[in-house]
Amino acid sequence: MSTVADKLAKKSTHKTSAKQVRLRLVYIDFWSAVKLSFLAAVAVAIVTVVTFFLVYTVIQTTGLVDKVDEFFQSFSDGGVSIQTFIGLPQVMAFAAIVAILNLIVITVLGAVLAGIYNLAVKVTGGLLVGFTSN
């Protein structure tokens, strides 16, 4: 009784000539580029929020915020506390704003790059890509 692995091994022993195909990329669909750049921007936004949270947690646990707060209170006679401006809610709100701005910028940038490529193809003829079959 032969298994799938045996059948694949038999197929791989046959030497077939690899067929090469050369294709030219002459158009990038605008909406496909927008969707793909939006998905990439969502991933970057998630990484941004998580990174802000982790950096704040590390800075808070090392006591750096307390030392900076003591430093500024020595200049302001105890009237201003840094911890009122740099708390977890403020840091996460700033991270959300940065993530949303990145989301918009990266999505628009993907659309603009697709448009620029489509215009450049009219001059250059496109990108030549070679493929081969196994």
Side-chain angles (χ1 to χ4, degrees):
M1 197 177 292
S2 143
T3 64
V4 174
D6 293 334
K7 290 179 183 177
L8 288 174
K10 287 179 185 176
K11 282 185 178 179
S12 66
T13 58
H14 298 293
K15 295 290 181 184
T16 59
S17 63
K19 184 177 179 182
Q20 290 186 344
V21 179
R22 296 178 76 186
L23 300 173
R24 197 171 290 274
L25 181 61
V26 294
Y27 179 73
I28 296 177
D29 184 46
F30 179 77
W31 289 113
S32 296
V34 169
K35 289 188 282 186
L36 187 63
S37 63
F38 178 75
L39 286 176
V42 167
V44 169
I46 291 169
V47 168
T48 301
V49 171
V50 170
T51 302
F52 268 77
F53 177 75
L54 291 177
V55 168
Y56 176 78
T57 305
V58 168
I59 289 174
Q60 189 67 30
T61 54
T62 58
L64 186 63
V65 174
D66 295 329
K67 295 208 189 280
V68 171
D69 192 28
E70 290 175 13
F71 178 71
F72 278 110
Q73 283 183 358
S74 68
F75 286 115
S76 65
D77 297 329
V80 177
S81 176
I82 295 295
Q83 290 183 350
T84 59
F85 301 113
I86 306 177
L88 185 60
Q90 289 85 4
V91 170
M92 294 313 292
F94 182 71
I97 290 169
V98 169
I100 290 170
L101 289 175
N102 276 342
L103 188 82
I104 294 168
V105 168
I106 292 173
T107 303
V108 170
L109 192 62
V112 168
L113 289 177
I116 290 172
Y117 181 80
N118 288 338
L119 289 175
V121 163
K122 294 179 190 271
V123 175
T124 62
L127 182 68
L128 189 62
V129 182
F131 293 98
T132 182
S133 65
N134 289 335

